[in-house]
Amino acid sequence: MPKVRTSKKRPPEGWELISPTLDDLEKKMREVENEPHEGKRKAESVWPIFRLHHQRSRYLFDLYYRRKEISRELYEYCLREGYADQNLIAKWKKAGYERLCCLRCIQVRDHNFATSCICRVPKAKLEDGKHIECIHCGCRGCASGDQ
């Protein structure tokens, strides 16, 4: 999750509509980064950062692909400046990955037995009453079959 970089180039038309939301998410990100993490596991301390990163990317994805409220030029500007994760959005466009929480959950090299994360398993295939939580991002289930 790289920092948002701003160029000297003026933002495209429509930036005024999305900038307040992106600024709020950026403020929340700063607060979470500076939050004390004593008493938490090493992985748990970055979960809020993953959630905000996902939220910011999903916001821009929905504005462009679902609601069609922003132009292609503005969408590409936001990707170039680092406001959204281009690779995560590319996965969301593919069947079966519509609800993917983060890219680490599908990287087989990060898991035992070269499989994907437990949060990718549909809830119907898990034992009843079993509480699952991803160790990488804290997700509780991002399989596309879950509703």
Side-chain angles (χ1 to χ4, degrees), residues 8 21 27 36 48 54 61-62 77 83 87 117 122 126 131 137:
K8 295 182 183 192
T21 305
K27 285 178 191 170
H54 176 275
F61 175 80
D62 287 341
Y77 173 81
Y83 285 101
N87 296 322
C117 187
L126 292 172
H131 177 71
C137 62

PDB file of all heavy atoms in Angstrom, residues 8 21 27 36 48 54 61-62 77 83 87 117 122 126 131 137:
ATOM      1  N   LYS A   8       2.244  17.561  -9.744  1.00  0.00           N
ATOM      2  CA  LYS A   8       1.985  18.982  -9.960  1.00  0.00           C
ATOM      3  C   LYS A   8       0.923  19.196 -11.047  1.00  0.00           C
ATOM      4  O   LYS A   8       0.463  20.293 -11.249  1.00  0.00           O
ATOM      5  CB  LYS A   8       3.282  19.679 -10.337  1.00  0.00           C
ATOM      6  CG  LYS A   8       4.268  19.635  -9.198  1.00  0.00           C
ATOM      7  CD  LYS A   8       5.534  20.345  -9.517  1.00  0.00           C
ATOM      8  CE  LYS A   8       6.459  20.170  -8.326  1.00  0.00           C
ATOM      9  NZ  LYS A   8       7.595  20.972  -8.309  1.00  0.00           N
ATOM     10  N   THR A  21     -14.227  12.726   0.200  1.00  0.00           N
ATOM     11  CA  THR A  21     -14.258  11.347   0.698  1.00  0.00           C
ATOM     12  C   THR A  21     -12.855  10.770   0.767  1.00  0.00           C
ATOM     13  O   THR A  21     -12.488  10.118   1.752  1.00  0.00           O
ATOM     14  CB  THR A  21     -15.145  10.467  -0.201  1.00  0.00           C
ATOM     15  OG1 THR A  21     -16.438  11.063  -0.292  1.00  0.00           O
ATOM     16  CG2 THR A  21     -15.274   9.075   0.353  1.00  0.00           C
ATOM     17  N   LYS A  27      -7.270  10.783   6.190  1.00  0.00           N
ATOM     18  CA  LYS A  27      -7.147  11.168   7.604  1.00  0.00           C
ATOM     19  C   LYS A  27      -7.295   9.952   8.509  1.00  0.00           C
ATOM     20  O   LYS A  27      -6.554   9.790   9.482  1.00  0.00           O
ATOM     21  CB  LYS A  27      -8.215  12.206   7.969  1.00  0.00           C
ATOM     22  CG  LYS A  27      -7.913  13.593   7.445  1.00  0.00           C
ATOM     23  CD  LYS A  27      -9.024  14.548   7.811  1.00  0.00           C
ATOM     24  CE  LYS A  27      -8.861  15.859   7.075  1.00  0.00           C
ATOM     25  NZ  LYS A  27     -10.043  16.720   7.232  1.00  0.00           N
ATOM     26  N   PRO A  36      -1.502   3.411  18.756  1.00  0.00           N
ATOM     27  CA  PRO A  36      -0.610   2.478  19.450  1.00  0.00           C
ATOM     28  C   PRO A  36      -1.069   1.033  19.227  1.00  0.00           C
ATOM     29  O   PRO A  36      -2.264   0.763  19.128  1.00  0.00           O
ATOM     30  CB  PRO A  36      -0.750   2.871  20.923  1.00  0.00           C
ATOM     31  CG  PRO A  36      -2.033   3.593  21.000  1.00  0.00           C
ATOM     32  CD  PRO A  36      -2.261   4.240  19.670  1.00  0.00           C
ATOM     33  N   PRO A  48      -6.395  -2.778  10.387  1.00  0.00           N
ATOM     34  CA  PRO A  48      -7.158  -1.563  10.047  1.00  0.00           C
ATOM     35  C   PRO A  48      -6.615  -0.861   8.797  1.00  0.00           C
ATOM     36  O   PRO A  48      -7.378  -0.272   8.027  1.00  0.00           O
ATOM     37  CB  PRO A  48      -7.009  -0.672  11.271  1.00  0.00           C
ATOM     38  CG  PRO A  48      -6.599  -1.569  12.372  1.00  0.00           C
ATOM     39  CD  PRO A  48      -5.858  -2.691  11.746  1.00  0.00           C
ATOM     40  N   HIS A  54      -8.680  -1.219   1.375  1.00  0.00           N
ATOM     41  CA  HIS A  54      -9.748  -1.891   0.629  1.00  0.00           C
ATOM     42  C   HIS A  54     -10.921  -0.941   0.418  1.00  0.00           C
ATOM     43  O   HIS A  54     -11.481  -0.863  -0.681  1.00  0.00           O
ATOM     44  CB  HIS A  54     -10.201  -3.127   1.403  1.00  0.00           C
ATOM     45  CG  HIS A  54     -11.345  -3.846   0.785  1.00  0.00           C
ATOM     46  ND1 HIS A  54     -12.648  -3.492   1.003  1.00  0.00           N
ATOM     47  CD2 HIS A  54     -11.373  -4.906  -0.063  1.00  0.00           C
ATOM     48  CE1 HIS A  54     -13.439  -4.307   0.332  1.00  0.00           C
ATOM     49  NE2 HIS A  54     -12.690  -5.169  -0.324  1.00  0.00           N
ATOM     50  N   PHE A  61     -13.691   1.983  -7.329  1.00  0.00           N
ATOM     51  CA  PHE A  61     -14.192   0.930  -8.206  1.00  0.00           C
ATOM     52  C   PHE A  61     -15.693   1.085  -8.419  1.00  0.00           C
ATOM     53  O   PHE A  61     -16.187   1.022  -9.548  1.00  0.00           O
ATOM     54  CB  PHE A  61     -13.874  -0.438  -7.595  1.00  0.00           C
ATOM     55  CG  PHE A  61     -14.450  -1.601  -8.340  1.00  0.00           C
ATOM     56  CD1 PHE A  61     -13.835  -2.087  -9.482  1.00  0.00           C
ATOM     57  CD2 PHE A  61     -15.614  -2.220  -7.906  1.00  0.00           C
ATOM     58  CE1 PHE A  61     -14.357  -3.168 -10.169  1.00  0.00           C
ATOM     59  CE2 PHE A  61     -16.142  -3.295  -8.580  1.00  0.00           C
ATOM     60  CZ  PHE A  61     -15.512  -3.767  -9.723  1.00  0.00           C
ATOM     61  N   ASP A  62     -16.429   1.280  -7.332  1.00  0.00           N
ATOM     62  CA  ASP A  62     -17.880   1.432  -7.442  1.00  0.00           C
ATOM     63  C   ASP A  62     -18.269   2.686  -8.204  1.00  0.00           C
ATOM     64  O   ASP A  62     -19.211   2.662  -9.009  1.00  0.00           O
ATOM     65  CB  ASP A  62     -18.523   1.454  -6.052  1.00  0.00           C
ATOM     66  CG  ASP A  62     -18.528   0.094  -5.387  1.00  0.00           C
ATOM     67  OD1 ASP A  62     -18.373  -0.922  -6.101  1.00  0.00           O
ATOM     68  OD2 ASP A  62     -18.681   0.042  -4.145  1.00  0.00           O
ATOM     69  N   TYR A  77      -6.429   8.827 -13.295  1.00  0.00           N
ATOM     70  CA  TYR A  77      -5.644   9.757 -12.483  1.00  0.00           C
ATOM     71  C   TYR A  77      -5.530   9.240 -11.049  1.00  0.00           C
ATOM     72  O   TYR A  77      -4.448   9.241 -10.457  1.00  0.00           O
ATOM     73  CB  TYR A  77      -6.298  11.149 -12.502  1.00  0.00           C
ATOM     74  CG  TYR A  77      -5.663  12.136 -11.557  1.00  0.00           C
ATOM     75  CD1 TYR A  77      -4.503  12.816 -11.911  1.00  0.00           C
ATOM     76  CD2 TYR A  77      -6.218  12.402 -10.310  1.00  0.00           C
ATOM     77  CE1 TYR A  77      -3.914  13.719 -11.038  1.00  0.00           C
ATOM     78  CE2 TYR A  77      -5.635  13.298  -9.439  1.00  0.00           C
ATOM     79  CZ  TYR A  77      -4.486  13.960  -9.804  1.00  0.00           C
ATOM     80  OH  TYR A  77      -3.899  14.848  -8.944  1.00  0.00           O
ATOM     81  N   TYR A  83      -4.331   6.400  -5.226  1.00  0.00           N
ATOM     82  CA  TYR A  83      -5.516   6.439  -4.373  1.00  0.00           C
ATOM     83  C   TYR A  83      -6.204   5.083  -4.304  1.00  0.00           C
ATOM     84  O   TYR A  83      -6.989   4.838  -3.399  1.00  0.00           O
ATOM     85  CB  TYR A  83      -6.511   7.495  -4.864  1.00  0.00           C
ATOM     86  CG  TYR A  83      -6.072   8.897  -4.552  1.00  0.00           C
ATOM     87  CD1 TYR A  83      -5.495   9.703  -5.525  1.00  0.00           C
ATOM     88  CD2 TYR A  83      -6.225   9.425  -3.286  1.00  0.00           C
ATOM     89  CE1 TYR A  83      -5.077  10.987  -5.240  1.00  0.00           C
ATOM     90  CE2 TYR A  83      -5.812  10.713  -2.982  1.00  0.00           C
ATOM     91  CZ  TYR A  83      -5.240  11.488  -3.967  1.00  0.00           C
ATOM     92  OH  TYR A  83      -4.828  12.749  -3.673  1.00  0.00           O
ATOM     93  N   ASN A  87      -4.083  -3.477  -8.982  1.00  0.00           N
ATOM     94  CA  ASN A  87      -4.087  -4.937  -9.062  1.00  0.00           C
ATOM     95  C   ASN A  87      -5.298  -5.543  -8.357  1.00  0.00           C
ATOM     96  O   ASN A  87      -5.874  -6.520  -8.835  1.00  0.00           O
ATOM     97  CB  ASN A  87      -2.801  -5.508  -8.470  1.00  0.00           C
ATOM     98  CG  ASN A  87      -1.591  -5.077  -9.258  1.00  0.00           C
ATOM     99  OD1 ASN A  87      -1.633  -4.987 -10.476  1.00  0.00           O
ATOM    100  ND2 ASN A  87      -0.509  -4.792  -8.563  1.00  0.00           N
ATOM    101  N   CYS A 117      -6.205 -18.559   1.237  1.00  0.00           N
ATOM    102  CA  CYS A 117      -6.512 -18.242   2.632  1.00  0.00           C
ATOM    103  C   CYS A 117      -7.859 -18.839   3.057  1.00  0.00           C
ATOM    104  O   CYS A 117      -8.744 -19.072   2.233  1.00  0.00           O
ATOM    105  CB  CYS A 117      -6.531 -16.724   2.788  1.00  0.00           C
ATOM    106  SG  CYS A 117      -6.710 -16.176   4.479  1.00  0.00           S
ATOM    107  N   PRO A 122     -15.987 -20.669   1.029  1.00  0.00           N
ATOM    108  CA  PRO A 122     -17.387 -20.273   1.254  1.00  0.00           C
ATOM    109  C   PRO A 122     -17.884 -20.745   2.622  1.00  0.00           C
ATOM    110  O   PRO A 122     -17.528 -21.820   3.093  1.00  0.00           O
ATOM    111  CB  PRO A 122     -18.141 -20.983   0.125  1.00  0.00           C
ATOM    112  CG  PRO A 122     -17.122 -21.243  -0.917  1.00  0.00           C
ATOM    113  CD  PRO A 122     -15.828 -21.450  -0.193  1.00  0.00           C
ATOM    114  N   LEU A 126     -17.847 -24.512   5.457  1.00  0.00           N
ATOM    115  CA  LEU A 126     -17.219 -24.534   6.779  1.00  0.00           C
ATOM    116  C   LEU A 126     -18.155 -25.164   7.797  1.00  0.00           C
ATOM    117  O   LEU A 126     -19.367 -25.261   7.571  1.00  0.00           O
ATOM    118  CB  LEU A 126     -16.873 -23.109   7.220  1.00  0.00           C
ATOM    119  CG  LEU A 126     -15.781 -22.397   6.441  1.00  0.00           C
ATOM    120  CD1 LEU A 126     -15.707 -20.947   6.883  1.00  0.00           C
ATOM    121  CD2 LEU A 126     -14.447 -23.077   6.648  1.00  0.00           C
ATOM    122  N   HIS A 131     -15.841 -19.825  13.817  1.00  0.00           N
ATOM    123  CA  HIS A 131     -15.438 -18.436  13.617  1.00  0.00           C
ATOM    124  C   HIS A 131     -14.075 -18.419  12.932  1.00  0.00           C
ATOM    125  O   HIS A 131     -13.091 -18.894  13.486  1.00  0.00           O
ATOM    126  CB  HIS A 131     -15.364 -17.720  14.971  1.00  0.00           C
ATOM    127  CG  HIS A 131     -14.890 -16.317  14.869  1.00  0.00           C
ATOM    128  ND1 HIS A 131     -15.646 -15.311  14.329  1.00  0.00           N
ATOM    129  CD2 HIS A 131     -13.718 -15.747  15.240  1.00  0.00           C
ATOM    130  CE1 HIS A 131     -14.952 -14.180  14.375  1.00  0.00           C
ATOM    131  NE2 HIS A 131     -13.779 -14.428  14.925  1.00  0.00           N
ATOM    132  N   CYS A 137      -5.164 -10.161   6.971  1.00  0.00           N
ATOM    133  CA  CYS A 137      -5.878  -8.874   6.947  1.00  0.00           C
ATOM    134  C   CYS A 137      -7.077  -8.810   7.895  1.00  0.00           C
ATOM    135  O   CYS A 137      -7.734  -7.777   7.966  1.00  0.00           O
ATOM    136  CB  CYS A 137      -6.322  -8.562   5.523  1.00  0.00           C
ATOM    137  SG  CYS A 137      -7.479  -9.764   4.862  1.00  0.00           S
TER     138      CYS A 137
END
